[in-house]
Amino acid sequence: MHDTPTLDLEALKASVDSPRDRLSILRRDNFTCAYCGFRDESTDLLLVDHAVPIGRGGVHLAFNLRTSCWLCKKRKGNRTEEEFKASNGNVGTNSY
């Protein structure tokens, strides 16, 4: 009989930054959109996005969170980061 591997969520939470702190995610990502490279230290146009959406099995932990400009977040929708990048290629930096 084989033991089914389990996910130790508490250990995982302890190993990553707190996802509740939006500013810590923005700082970690150097205030730069993960998808187009737009940078905004004022943070007015930046959001935090799930690389794998919650509805697609993603989790609300720092390793699954990315800084995103609002336009990329809107375009990405419910797709994963890989799906979005594959469908958009190099989108270039959005201009605001």
Side-chain angles (χ1 to χ4, degrees):
M1 177 190 242
H2 297 286
D3 290 333
T4 304
T6 59
L7 178 63
D8 184 354
L9 194 54
E10 291 307 310
L12 188 58
K13 284 180 183 177
S15 70
V16 297
D17 297 330
S18 171
R20 293 182 186 97
D21 187 356
R22 175 181 175 266
L23 191 55
S24 73
I25 300 299
L26 298 177
R27 283 184 182 138
R28 180 199 69 192
D29 296 344
N30 199 29
F31 301 96
T32 303
C33 177
Y35 308 115
C36 75
F38 174 76
R39 191 165 195 279
D40 179 25
E41 286 191 44
S42 74
T43 72
D44 292 339
L45 299 173
L46 297 176
L47 304 167
V48 174
D49 182 53
H50 293 90
V52 177
I54 296 291
R56 304 269 309 270
V59 293
H60 192 66
L61 296 173
F63 73 87
N64 189 45
L65 299 175
R66 306 286 183 271
T67 296
S68 176
C69 69
W70 69 270
L71 188 55
C72 282
K73 185 171 175 70
K74 180 179 177 182
R75 288 177 178 160
K76 179 178 169 279
N78 196 40
R79 293 181 283 179
T80 67
E81 179 178 29
E82 289 77 22
E83 291 168 344
F84 179 64
K85 286 181 175 179
S87 68
N88 288 302
N90 184 3
V91 295
T93 303
N94 287 315
S95 300
Y96 291 95

